[in-house]
Amino acid sequence: MKTLNIVFQGCCHSQLNKIYESIQETYEHVDLVLIGGDFQAVRTPQDLNCMSVPPKYRRLGDFHEYYYGTRKAPYLTIFIGGNHEASNYLQELHYGGWVAPNIYYLGDAGVVNFGGIRIGGISGIFNDHHYEQPHFERIPLNRSSERSIYHIRQFDVLKLGLLRGKIEIMMSHDWPQGIIHFGDKNWLYRIKKHLQSDAESGRLGSPPAMELLKQLRPMYWLSAHLHVRFQALVEHERTKNEDEIELDIEKKNEDEIDLDLGGNEDEIGLDLGGNDDEIELDIDETTNDDEIELDLGETPMSEEYPKNEESNAKESTGYPQTAFLALDKCLPRREFIEMIRIPAPESGSNELCYDKEWLAVTRATNKFYTANKLPSSEDLEAQLRAERQWIEANIKDLKIPLNFEPLTPQLAQISAETGIDIRTLSQRQPPVQINNQTQQFCDLLQIERLP
């Protein structure tokens, strides 16, 4: 067995330069970086007009440097979406894809393979007003749809719930509802006093995320959103012939990283799904200097498909324990990065690869992307078996192609070509465009590109 050194980052808030800098200063060897949302893949000022952030807090950030090639991510990076995103760009890649060289978006929901482990995630946050609705939002976004577009949908939860093979890492931006009861919630209430009323009223966290955690039973569940470091351990009911996993949680004393962001600490903060218009400016300087390293030791890795494909739709293989970890945003004296070491098979490729089971799920469910009524998981079982056979017969190379293209020109170029003043362009939303990666993915699976 080999060990994968994976660094998890909480909310990004378009601070890629500082995040990568702090990772390089802290860790010698990193195989992969995961980011838990609020990534803010802003290419030009036009993308800011599709982000659910008040105008006075909108800023271009670092991402455009990676998109246009001024910089390149020093580590392979995978991220999910949060509730403060350039939603127009992410919608182009709702099946997933490269937003820049070496930076991969998992899509509305997705699962990929890296180094012999499976990594999945779901983007956005939970809001019961839109949960059962289809993905109806289209560019240009209005005041309402710029908020609803980042609300997770039952469609994506259904897709993830169809998975039967083991998953090592799952990510969600908001926390699974009730996860605080598996950790030191009294400590959390002292640090974030407003969370207690939200928890007691049932507004804290995502119910579908907790349902998925209990069903999929991943080795790790990683989240961000609440701008605080918190860990918990969920013990699942054991099944027959299940291997025991011991979580070796080791205290480490390391030097605190103090990143000077120039004194600008006004970041967009908490959105609990109950009131999307409410914004909390989180400038809390609370910190905990003790880093905790989660090490699961010698653990059986995932299988591409379960051995019994006829199993009941509600049953899934998984790990007997799920370690939950949430981290902060990138600010001075905050705990926003942490390394997770996961054992992996020696044969696992360190190239990012499609997941066979997820490809089959995508083929089986694609036509329901804009549907008002979804089938049950039981109704999809026969279709899934057929799609698994199709994937085995037709998809021979699972390596995700390096097919990123910077399709959006910079505003100076658009201004020169059109004669429109840059200030005028900056006030507009960008035009709709078809991303080459989305079309190529649909061609690969022979499915209709939706929307």
Side-chain angles (χ1 to χ4, degrees):
M1 300 285 284
K2 64 182 179 182
T3 299
L4 294 179
N5 295 327
I6 299 175
V7 171
F8 176 54
Q9 156 72 42
C11 295
C12 177
H13 291 297
S14 200
Q15 291 284 339
L16 282 174
N17 293 347
K18 288 292 185 182
I19 290 168
Y20 287 139
E21 175 186 321
S22 63
I23 292 173
Q24 289 174 324
E25 292 175 351
T26 308
Y27 304 110
E28 291 186 4
H29 176 71
V30 175
D31 296 301
L32 179 69
V33 173
L34 302 177
I35 297 179
D38 284 355
F39 184 83
Q40 299 181 358
V42 178
R43 301 162 295 185
T44 74
Q46 288 187 327
D47 288 337
L48 292 171
N49 300 317
C50 298
M51 184 185 294
S52 180
V53 173
K56 67 178 180 179
Y57 295 117
R58 293 174 182 171
R59 59 188 181 84
L60 196 58
D62 299 336
F63 174 74
H64 65 97
E65 300 176 18
Y66 298 85
Y67 183 82
Y68 292 112
T70 305
R71 295 175 183 258
K72 183 178 179 180
Y75 312 103
L76 175 61
T77 302
I78 300 173
F79 74 96
I80 56 170
N83 56 309
H84 302 302
E85 301 290 0
S87 297
N88 58 310
Y89 187 22
L90 297 192
Q91 190 182 58
E92 292 178 20
L93 297 167
H94 68 89
Y95 295 104
W98 303 102
V99 297
N102 225 28
I103 304 176
Y104 190 84
Y105 171 53
L106 272 181
D108 294 339
V111 180
V112 293
N113 281 267
F114 174 79
I117 69 170
R118 302 174 82 196
I119 300 168
I122 187 165
S123 293
I125 64 170
F126 174 77
N127 184 297
D128 58 357
H129 297 301
H130 300 110
Y131 179 64
E132 295 184 358
Q133 296 186 26
H135 290 279
F136 63 84
E137 296 84 1
R138 301 292 180 268
I139 308 301
L141 300 174
N142 57 33
R143 177 62 178 157
S144 176
S145 61
E146 79 174 12
R147 296 191 302 276
S148 66
I149 193 171
Y150 60 72
H151 293 154
I152 68 169
R153 304 301 157 92
Q154 188 177 22
F155 170 77
D156 299 304
V157 174
L158 170 69
K159 290 176 67 177
L160 289 166
L162 292 169
L163 298 172
R164 299 294 172 262
K166 285 184 177 180
I167 296 180
E168 278 65 56
I169 297 175
M170 273 292 297
M171 292 190 290
S172 66
H173 185 60
D174 50 353
W175 299 14
Q177 188 179 60
I179 194 67
I180 62 171
H181 300 298
F182 296 88
D184 190 349
K185 65 180 179 181
N186 292 325
W187 174 88
L188 182 64
Y189 293 159
R190 290 196 300 272
I191 300 300
K192 298 279 188 176
K193 296 180 176 59
H194 60 281
L195 294 185
Q196 184 168 2
S197 61
D198 292 324
E200 292 175 351
S201 66
R203 294 181 65 242
L204 181 63
S206 169
M210 179 53 81
E211 291 177 12
L212 288 171
L213 186 151
K214 290 180 177 178
Q215 181 182 343
L216 299 176
R217 297 164 38 171
M219 185 185 293
Y220 283 92
W221 192 288
L222 308 176
S223 296
H225 191 44
L226 298 187
H227 299 164
V228 65
R229 184 191 183 280
F230 184 77
Q231 68 175 36
L233 182 64
V234 180
E235 300 273 0
H236 302 291
E237 292 184 8
R238 301 190 57 77
T239 60
K240 293 180 180 179
N241 300 322
E242 189 169 58
D243 293 325
E244 180 73 33
I245 298 176
E246 292 186 2
L247 294 178
D248 180 11
I249 300 178
E250 175 186 349
K251 279 277 189 179
K252 292 173 63 179
N253 293 319
E254 295 194 4
D255 294 334
E256 180 181 293
I257 302 171
D258 188 349
L259 299 181
D260 182 6
L261 298 183
N264 180 12
E265 295 185 347
D266 288 340
E267 291 282 349
I268 302 302
L270 181 63
D271 184 341
L272 294 177
N275 182 355
D276 292 330
D277 295 325
E278 181 178 346
I279 294 175
E280 173 188 329
L281 298 183
D282 182 357
I283 55 175
D284 177 19
E285 290 302 322
T286 304
T287 187
N288 181 350
D289 294 337
D290 292 331
E291 177 186 344
I292 289 188
E293 172 190 320
L294 301 175
D295 184 357
L296 289 173
E298 294 295 320
T299 308
M301 290 295 102
S302 60
E303 300 174 5
E304 290 183 355
Y305 298 129
K307 294 179 180 178
N308 180 12
E309 293 184 355
E310 303 291 339
S311 61
N312 183 278
K314 296 297 182 182
E315 294 178 356
S316 174
T317 56
Y319 292 93
Q321 299 169 322
T322 295
F324 173 80
L325 176 66
L327 291 179
D328 211 327
K329 57 185 175 182
C330 179
L331 280 178
R333 297 173 296 282
R334 301 295 188 90
E335 294 179 293
F336 55 87
I337 58 171
E338 198 152 321
M339 179 171 284
I340 298 170
R341 295 181 174 88
I342 295 186
E346 293 288 348
S347 58
S349 171
N350 275 20
E351 294 179 298
L352 197 60
C353 295
Y354 292 123
D355 181 82
K356 284 185 179 181
E357 190 179 17
W358 185 251
L359 295 181
V361 166
T362 301
R363 272 183 58 89
T365 59
N366 187 62
K367 63 183 178 181
F368 301 107
Y369 182 80
T370 56
N372 290 310
K373 183 175 176 57
L374 299 177
S376 68
S377 55
E378 290 83 354
D379 290 340
L380 289 168
E381 285 298 300
Q383 180 70 23
L384 271 172
R385 288 193 292 273
E387 300 302 352
R388 288 166 178 162
Q389 294 173 1
W390 189 94
I391 296 297
E392 290 287 356
N394 293 277
I395 308 297
K396 303 302 181 183
D397 184 5
L398 291 173
K399 185 172 69 173
I400 296 177
L402 305 179
N403 54 354
F404 167 78
E405 295 180 24
L407 302 178
T408 300
Q410 300 185 59
L411 290 194
Q413 179 182 341
I414 298 175
S415 178
E417 293 174 351
T418 63
I420 302 174
D421 185 75
I422 288 181
R423 287 172 295 182
T424 301
L425 289 172
S426 297
Q427 296 172 0
R428 300 177 178 177
Q429 293 189 23
V432 177
Q433 63 184 10
I434 305 302
N435 196 290
N436 63 296
Q437 297 179 68
T438 297
Q439 188 61 59
Q440 290 167 23
F441 178 78
C442 292
D443 291 344
L444 174 69
L445 293 189
Q446 297 181 23
I447 57 177
E448 180 183 3
R449 178 180 54 79
L450 296 173

